[in-house]
Amino acid sequence: MTDALALRPFRPADDGPLLRRWVADRAELVRWAGPAFRWPLDDAQLLAYAAEPGRHVWTAVAGPTGAPLGHVSLLRRADGSGARLGRVLIAPEARGRGLGEQLLTQVLDRAFGELDLPAVDLGVYTHNTAAVRLYERLGFRTEAVLPDVEEVDGVLWSALQMRLPRPTP
């Protein structure tokens, strides 16, 4: 049985300490956000991220207490071509319970519903096989493979660029 998730707006003052706990080292920071942030993650970076124009940022909460269990954002493209899904994270203690799929399903429902976007794309490192499988299960397809885009602890990481067009009725 999995927890029922709901999305609420990200509150940097409340949720920032959780993100910093969930992202415990530089490698995890890069896996979560690519090169967008510098280690260590701090309040100033999170405030700037949450205030970025066109960015929707949510905390996934569960249960009657609304305990935070995840994080996600969607950056709307200024040209109207869709949005970039990113910063998907489930709390380490809540992983393996199907919450990632719930979180992404809710975000995609908002993207194609209330935001009326034509497509959603994302980047994911190739070695993050659980995430790649989940994105594929949700209908994302690889559009490009970017070899050796990031170096972390002396290891080169490659990435996939994936896209999901709005489902047809």
Side-chain angles (χ1 to χ4, degrees), residues 6-106:
L7 298 179
R8 69 154 167 78
F10 173 70
R11 300 186 302 242
D14 297 329
D15 302 328
L18 286 172
L19 277 178
R20 286 193 299 278
R21 184 173 56 81
W22 296 346
V23 179
D25 58 33
R26 181 178 174 274
E28 185 65 27
L29 180 67
V30 175
R31 189 173 6 270
W32 173 61
F37 295 103
R38 69 185 181 288
W39 181 256
L41 188 59
D42 59 33
D43 290 338
Q45 292 178 86
L46 290 173
L47 285 169
Y49 155 65
E52 188 176 350
R55 186 176 294 280
H56 301 269
V57 186
W58 297 284
T59 295
V61 296
T65 62
L69 294 176
H71 180 89
V72 65
S73 75
L74 196 62
L75 179 59
R76 193 174 202 147
R77 296 197 186 287
D79 66 4
S81 64
R84 181 97 172 157
L85 176 69
R87 316 303 167 19
V88 178
L89 186 64
I90 297 296
E93 65 274 12
R95 293 179 186 157
R97 302 192 327 222
L99 299 176
E101 187 165 355
Q102 279 190 57
L103 176 122
L104 291 171
T105 298
Q106 288 189 34

Side-chain angles (χ1 to χ4, degrees), residues 100-136:
E101 187 165 355
Q102 279 190 57
L103 176 122
L104 291 171
T105 298
Q106 288 189 34
V107 170
L108 293 172
D109 286 348
R110 288 188 184 200
F112 296 127
E114 69 188 63
L115 298 175
D116 196 29
L117 297 170
V120 173
D121 60 61
L122 60 84
V124 60
Y125 292 108
T126 57
H127 66 275
N128 191 349
T129 55
V132 171
R133 282 193 308 268
L134 174 56
Y135 295 137
E136 289 174 340

